[in-house]
Amino acid sequence: NAGVMQNPRHLVRRRGQEARLRCSPMKGHSHVYWYRQLPEEGLKFMVYLQKENIIDESGMPKERFSAEFPKEGPSILRIQQVVRGDSAAYFCASSPPGPLNTEAFFGQGTRLTVV
Amino acid sequence: EDQVTQSPEALRLQEGESSSLNCSYTVSGLRGLFWYRQDPGKGPEFLFTLYSAGEEKEKERLKATLTKKESFLHITAPKPEDSATYLCAARPYGQNFVFGPGTRLSVLP
């Protein structure tokens, strides 16, 4: 039973490039959450998605950031025109649908470095 | 506004020295209170879910308890391998998880 899979684990981008972070939820899970973590800081909520729907994007910056969770395939967090301040660890978590939608299980994260 | 705080920020214990970590939460309707462990460079690892005041859960040297405003993570006779950051999260109904800043635990041999 594979856990939440994130790739790539490490991503280096130059300022102005695009970063695409992928998250495959656990089998049977239809809810995905994205969080950002800076060194020595806690997890900051970005966006909460179900298949083909954005449930809550209140933590997502208004510009340059977008997320999707299509009917087929992984969830994608996309950062356009990256800046040095985007350097962080980005974690994805997933949870099952319905009444079991309580605990969320995390992937190992993607560490984005903008140079 | 939903909020979760944790104390202390950092804790150093000698091996075998029991202690407790605190998580205080303010949310509008609690669906669940969660504890995670995070090792450096890794994703958070799920430990416990607590649903209602008075509930307790145990796993090896860890025991989590819940009141209407707080949760405690008790560590009994810790070992160096228990060193990690412990994260608390509260989930209001119909919403996402609100995380606290974490407690960095170091257990010295």
Side-chain angles (χ1 to χ4, degrees):
Chain A
N1 183 18
V4 178
M5 303 299 292
Q6 289 189 250
N7 66 82
R9 291 294 309 278
H10 301 274
L11 181 62
V12 180
R13 284 288 177 265
R14 294 186 183 280
R15 280 179 294 170
Q17 289 185 320
E18 179 180 287
R20 279 184 175 242
L21 288 61
R22 287 178 290 278
C23 169
S24 296
M26 287 179 69
K27 187 177 180 181
H29 287 194
S30 57
H31 297 246
V32 164
Y33 316 79
W34 285 93
Y35 287 82
R36 178 162 66 177
Q37 188 175 43
L38 293 170
E40 306 300 321
E41 293 190 12
L43 291 161
K44 300 298 182 188
F45 168 75
M46 298 183 74
V47 62
Y48 168 22
L49 310 107
Q50 290 181 4
K51 289 274 187 182
E52 300 184 281
N53 277 315
I54 295 175
I55 305 302
D56 181 354
E57 56 182 348
S58 59
M60 192 95 97
K62 294 285 188 287
E63 297 179 353
R64 302 188 298 108
F65 285 73
S66 63
E68 63 175 5
F69 188 16
K71 187 176 180 181
E72 301 291 337
S75 175
I76 306 287
L77 178 67
R78 182 183 178 203
I79 311 173
Q80 295 178 291
Q81 299 175 326
V82 297
V83 301
R84 289 233 170 97
D86 296 332
S87 295
Y90 291 84
F91 290 99
C92 163
S94 73
S95 63
L100 297 176
N101 179 13
T102 51
E103 297 95 0
F105 298 89
F106 282 82
Q108 293 302 307
T110 293
R111 276 146 192 85
L112 172 65
T113 302
V114 180
V115 297
Chain B
E1 181 183 344
D2 300 323
Q3 191 172 10
V4 175
T5 58
Q6 291 185 246
S7 63
E9 184 176 323
L11 180 63
R12 298 182 76 174
L13 300 173
Q14 290 296 132
E15 185 172 1
E17 180 186 1
S18 301
S19 188
S20 295
L21 312 182
N22 174 266
C23 168
S24 296
Y25 63 93
T26 306
V27 298
S28 49
L30 183 70
R31 181 172 189 172
L33 187 291
F34 307 86
W35 283 97
Y36 290 84
R37 167 191 171 131
Q38 186 174 26
D39 293 294
K42 301 281 185 66
E45 175 190 345
F46 172 76
L47 293 174
F48 302 109
T49 306
L50 301 164
Y51 294 103
S52 56
E55 188 175 359
E56 297 183 355
K57 292 219 175 139
E58 285 189 69
K59 179 180 179 181
E60 296 181 355
R61 294 177 292 282
L62 301 177
K63 183 169 83 171
T65 62
L66 182 65
T67 72
K68 287 188 176 180
K69 294 291 183 187
E70 294 177 304
S71 178
F72 293 92
L73 184 66
H74 307 277
I75 304 177
T76 302
K79 297 182 177 181
E81 54 261 42
D82 295 322
S83 298
T85 296
Y86 290 85
L87 300 169
C88 167
R91 187 172 195 189
Y93 274 95
Q95 298 184 41
N96 65 80
F97 300 78
V98 180
F99 277 85
T103 293
R104 290 192 307 278
L105 174 66
S106 300
V107 181
L108 307 176

